């Protein structure tokens, strides 16, 4: 005889199938807790828009704070170059390699990494759902996801290995971050150009247009930053490294804004953490 499960506050009756395959009659109905899985509130419920802003604002504020502190407290050290020519802005690598700036930057990047990985997984699920019957776009969706992971890894590498510690590793992390970022933008714009062949909502169309503009903006300033960096190392002209630092700022900031477009892509979605159904009955 089956023993009923009791919840002393409320009860709900359900029909239970016995091991022989028959259905127990109404007189044999088992009482189980009223609080079913679909009635239980989730443990965490977070709007996706808030997650997006959190993932972007953390590195944004960390970047601004590091540059301001380095300008106010370590101006000479932050703006020094091997050419010893006048320079007026610190590069990002210089700004995040000093103390306490390095710890502020590491703290903000470490906190933002988990939401960024979740965003990458969300986009992968979104693309695979959109392109369930298109093999090329499905493969490109997976590549876009891998590039997002690579971009995040490159950012962590250049963050935790500063230019004053191991320059070659820091440089490799920076190249990985920039290269993965540009390739990720290209793939993302390609996928959205296919999506845009069908009617889009106003939010989706705004997101697609911003993605294209930000990719072009980011690419242009990446080229300018590379040009000024090479020119500085070749000719050691006054102020050229400042132009490189300014272009570097704009590259990083446009990268952050590119990821903000998830605000429109998933504006009505939520991140929910709940208890799995099996945990309710054991």
């Amino acid at each position: 005889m089956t023993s009923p499960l009791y919840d002393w506050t409320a009860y709900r009756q359900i029909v239970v199938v016995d091991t022989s395959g028959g259905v127990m009659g109404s007189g044999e109905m088992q009482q189980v807790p009223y609080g079913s899985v679909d009635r239980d509130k989730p443990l965490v419920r977070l709007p996706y828009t808030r997650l997006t802003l959190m993932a972007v604002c953390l590195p944004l504020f960390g970047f601004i704070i590091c540059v301001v502190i380095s300008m106010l407290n370590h101006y000479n050290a932050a703006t020094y170059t091997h050419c010893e020519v006048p320079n007026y802005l610190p590069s990002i690598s210089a700004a995040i390699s000093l103390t306490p700036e390095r710890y502020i930057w590491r703290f903000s990047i470490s906190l933002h990494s988990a939401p960024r990985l979740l965003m990458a997984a969300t986009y992968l699920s979104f693309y695979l759902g959109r392109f369930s019957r298109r093999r090329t776009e499905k493969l490109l969706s997976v590549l876009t996801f891998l590039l997002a992971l690579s971009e995040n890894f490159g950012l962590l590498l250049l963050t935790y290995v500063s230019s004053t510690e191991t320059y070659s590793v820091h440089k490799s992390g920076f190249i990985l971050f920039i290269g993965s970022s540009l390739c990720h933008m290209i793939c993302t714009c390609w996928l959205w150009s296919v999506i845009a062949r069908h009617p889009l909502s106003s939010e989706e169309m705004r997101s697609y247009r911003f993605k294209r503009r930000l990719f072009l903006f980011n690419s242009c300033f990446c080229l300018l930053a590379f040009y000024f960096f090479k020119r500085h190392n070749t000719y050691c002209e006054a102020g050229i490294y400042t132009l490189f630092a300014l272009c570097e700022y704009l590259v990083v900031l446009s990268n952050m804004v590119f990821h903000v477009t998830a605000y429109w892509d998933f504006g009505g979605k939520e991140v929910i953490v709940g208890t799995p159904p099996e945990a309710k009955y054991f």
Side-chain angles (χ1 to χ4, degrees):
M1 183 175 185
T2 305
S3 300
L5 301 174
Y6 289 99
D7 183 339
W8 296 105
T9 56
Y11 302 98
R12 179 171 62 89
Q13 288 187 328
I14 61 172
V15 176
V16 179
V17 179
D18 62 20
T19 56
S20 62
V23 178
M24 299 173 66
S26 60
E28 297 176 291
M29 283 187 177
Q30 183 182 16
Q31 291 180 322
V32 299
Y34 179 77
S36 63
V37 176
D38 58 337
R39 293 177 179 269
D40 288 347
K41 293 183 179 180
L43 301 176
V44 177
R45 190 167 189 166
L46 182 68
Y48 201 90
T49 52
R50 192 175 300 174
L51 177 74
T52 302
L53 294 177
M54 184 189 307
V56 174
C57 287
L58 281 168
L60 174 62
F61 291 148
F63 164 75
I64 294 173
I65 292 170
C66 288
V67 171
V68 170
I69 292 178
S70 64
M71 291 283 287
L72 294 177
N73 295 346
H74 313 108
Y75 182 80
N76 292 331
T79 57
Y80 174 82
T81 67
H82 71 281
C83 292
E84 298 185 354
V85 293
N87 178 37
Y88 310 103
L89 284 176
S91 66
I92 295 178
S93 297
I96 65 174
S97 65
L98 302 169
T99 305
E101 293 92 321
R102 71 173 67 184
Y103 301 116
I104 296 172
W105 181 248
R106 289 174 181 177
F107 178 75
S108 62
I109 293 301
S110 62
L111 286 182
H112 113 291
S113 295
R116 277 285 299 275
L117 294 176
L118 180 59
M119 289 171 64
T122 303
Y123 269 112
L124 176 62
S125 178
F126 170 75
Y127 292 142
L128 293 179
R130 285 272 187 159
F131 304 118
S132 58
R133 298 182 180 180
R134 300 175 68 100
R135 183 177 180 182
T136 301
E137 282 72 19
K138 286 178 69 175
L139 293 175
L140 188 61
S141 301
V142 175
L143 176 61
T144 305
F145 172 71
L146 295 176
L147 288 169
L149 298 184
S150 177
E151 178 186 343
N152 204 46
F153 176 75
L155 181 58
L156 288 170
L157 185 62
L158 71 89
T159 294
Y160 282 94
V161 182
S162 67
S163 59
T164 57
E165 294 172 339
T166 309
Y167 178 75
S168 59
V169 176
H170 177 84
K171 180 181 178 181
S172 299
F174 188 82
I175 294 173
L176 179 63
F177 168 71
I178 294 297
S180 299
S181 172
L182 284 172
C183 293
H184 176 265
M185 289 182 180
I186 294 173
C187 293
T188 299
C189 290
W190 186 352
L191 290 171
W192 276 89
S193 68
V194 178
I195 294 174
R197 295 173 187 172
H198 305 279
L200 299 178
S201 66
S202 58
E203 291 80 8
E204 289 175 329
M205 182 56 69
R206 186 184 300 115
S207 173
Y208 174 46
R209 288 171 179 169
F210 266 92
K211 284 180 171 67
R212 289 189 304 176
R213 294 168 184 169
L214 288 166
F215 165 65
L216 293 175
F217 182 91
N218 189 276
S219 301
C220 290
F221 279 96
C222 274
L223 293 175
L224 283 173
F226 178 76
Y227 167 74
F228 287 126
F229 184 79
K230 292 293 291 184
R231 181 169 173 174
H232 167 76
N233 288 332
T234 303
Y235 301 107
C236 286
E237 299 170 283
I240 293 299
Y241 200 75
T242 299
L243 294 176
F244 161 73
L246 182 61
C247 291
E248 191 182 32
Y249 295 173
L250 293 175
V251 167
V252 170
L253 291 174
S254 60
N255 174 270
M256 294 179 188
V257 179
F258 187 90
H259 291 293
V260 171
T261 57
Y263 187 96
W264 295 306
D265 297 337
F266 306 112
K269 304 298 188 294
E270 292 181 322
V271 177
I272 298 177
V273 179
T275 305
E278 292 79 6
K280 298 293 181 180
Y281 301 103
F282 297 98

